[in-house]
Structures are given as structure tokens and as C-alpha cells.
Amino acid sequence: MIKVGITGGIGSGKSTVCKVFKGLGIPVFEADIVAKQLMTSNPEIRQALIKVFGTAVYLPDGTIDRKYLAGLVFNDESLLAKLNGIVHPVVLKEFNEWCGTKQTPYILHEAAILFESGFYKMMDKIIAVVTDEEERIQRVMKRDGATIELVRQRIQNQMSDAERIKLTDFVISNNDNELIIPQILTIDKKIRAESIYK
Ligand code: ATP
């Protein structure tokens, strides 16, 4: 089965694009959501996170305090590497098991940090969703009620679109004046044509 990674900067429209692929019958592994769930539910991750970051990374109800954790790793590369070293191997195991349950022409692995995490190396193809920065800022401010400064900071912390495009097989342009469905249908057709599962 063909493994297709789909990535893009904050607010580019990855989830929106993935909804269309789901409508075409393509299963989507939502890596960021799975990672977040595992940080709360997986005992090995819990133990390791508490050892490195202290008990304060968990809220009184037992769920991970993502804001607190993000604040700790934001400007500390070595702590970020520790966090990734704890979470990524478990997400990868989960992804491989999930793939084993699918029999579609291809699957999608959706992740904001597909390149940064190194997961892109495990993908057969990569799609980047690309949207102008100003439009992304407006969308995220509207969606999350975030300030312009916060969104800009997040964008600065991520890879640029120019870098993403270099490592990508397909680009989906998702500015307000562009139609995504025809772009998705073209990509879907090309990948299906290469798959042994029809
Ligand atoms: P994140 O990395 O922050 O999770 P994302 O890349 O998954 O973001 P989405 O959540 O799909 O992005 O889109 C961001 C916001 O922009 C959403 O509120 C979505 O409804 C809106 N949006 C996405 N595509 C378009 C579009 N073509 N036109 C207008 N609004 C859009």
C-alpha cells in the first residue's frame, strides 16, 4: 500500500484537504491528534514525560497540559528533542499497526511536522498544502481566536513553504481564490494509477 504524507504550515488547510480525501474513501492517520491522545493514554509516555518534565505536565484530570509543555520546549531544542524522542517512536508504532488494518489504494499520514520529525522518510509520496502567509494568519486568528503575534511566532518556528516544496511530490494551493477539489482529484488519480490495490 502506498503511504502518502500530507503536510503544510499552520492554517494552510491540511485538515480541510484531508476531509476531501476521506470523502474519496482514503483513510487518514492524523498524527498530531494521535500524538496528543497517546500523551494522555500511553503509560510508557506518561512515565517518561513525568521523569523529564515533572508531574506538572499533567492536569489534575490526568490529561496532558499541552500549553505548559509547549512553553517548556518552545525555546529549548534539547528539551524538544527529548519530547520527540519519547513520543515519536510510539506514534510510529501506532501508525504501522494502523496501516496493517487498511486495504485501500493508498493512505494519508497528516502531520504539521512531517519533515521536522523525519517521518517523511517513511512515506512513498508527499503532498504539501500551501497557502499565502497573510491568509493563514487570518484563518488561524478566526479559527482559534489567536493573536496575530502568536500565529506569526508559530509560523516562524515552522519550516518555510519554499523548503517544504523542495521535498514534495505534489503541491495543493489553497488560497481563497483557488479550488482544491480539482487539484485533489488529479493527485488521487495519479496515486491510484501507481497502486496495486484498486
Ligand atoms: P493546523 O496546522 O493549524 O491544524 P490546518 O493546516 O489543518 O491547520 P485547517 O484547520 O484545515 O488547517 O484550516 C485552517 C482554517 O482555515 C479552518 O478554519 C478552515 O475552515 C479554514 N480554511 C481552510 N481552507 C480554506 C479555504 N480554501 N478558504 C477559506 N477558509 C479555509
Side-chain angles (χ1 to χ4, degrees):
M1 126 147 32
I2 299 177
K3 293 175 185 164
V4 182
I6 181 160
T7 190
I10 180 168
S12 56
K14 295 176 292 296
S15 307
T16 307
V17 167
C18 282
K19 273 188 203 152
V20 180
F21 277 104
K22 281 183 199 166
L24 297 172
I26 301 304
V28 180
F29 182 83
E30 293 163 323
D32 301 337
I33 294 173
V34 172
K36 186 178 161 193
Q37 284 166 349
L38 286 171
M39 282 193 252
T40 290
S41 66
N42 183 283
E44 280 168 47
I45 294 183
R46 281 185 85 92
Q47 225 178 7
L49 289 183
I50 289 172
K51 202 168 162 194
V52 176
F53 300 100
T55 48
V57 286
Y58 286 97
L59 293 164
D61 69 359
T63 58
I64 189 84
D65 188 342
R66 294 241 297 173
K67 268 194 187 157
Y68 175 71
L69 191 56
L72 290 180
V73 301
F74 196 73
N75 276 320
D76 190 327
E77 278 187 20
S78 102
L79 271 187
L80 178 63
K82 277 187 186 164
L83 171 65
N84 290 340
I86 293 167
V87 179
H88 288 170
V90 187
V91 174
L92 182 60
K93 187 167 166 265
E94 194 85 3
F95 173 63
N96 287 331
E97 283 170 14
W98 178 90
C99 284
T101 66
K102 306 294 172 216
Q103 285 193 332
T104 42
Y106 64 100
I107 58 87
L108 286 183
H109 178 118
E110 179 196 352
I113 54 161
L114 191 74
F115 294 117
E116 295 88 334
S117 67
F119 274 36
Y120 75 101
K121 293 180 195 147
M122 282 152 252
M123 302 297 141
D124 302 302
K125 302 269 175 211
I126 295 173
I127 302 171
V129 183
V130 170
T131 304
D132 292 345
E133 198 168 302
E134 281 314 307
E135 224 162 283
R136 288 160 57 195
I137 291 171
Q138 293 308 320
R139 287 181 191 172
V140 176
M141 285 171 66
K142 194 170 160 202
R143 185 192 62 187
D144 300 344
T147 62
I148 191 161
E149 292 78 22
L150 185 77
V151 186
R152 286 229 160 94
Q153 212 176 33
R154 294 240 174 101
I155 289 176
Q156 264 168 20
N157 237 29
Q158 293 183 334
M159 208 175 191
S160 71
D161 276 347
E163 287 172 290
R164 281 191 196 99
I165 290 170
K166 276 190 218 154
L167 298 163
T168 289
D169 300 283
F170 304 106
V171 173
I172 295 176
S173 247
N174 183 31
N175 290 304
D176 281 348
N177 57 351
E178 288 166 313
L179 296 175
I180 52 171
I181 292 179
Q183 301 179 66
I184 293 170
L185 291 177
T186 303
I187 295 169
D188 175 70
K189 201 172 160 190
K190 283 188 182 160
I191 302 174
R192 280 177 199 264
E194 287 187 28
S195 178
I196 54 162
Y197 295 106
K198 298 294 171 195

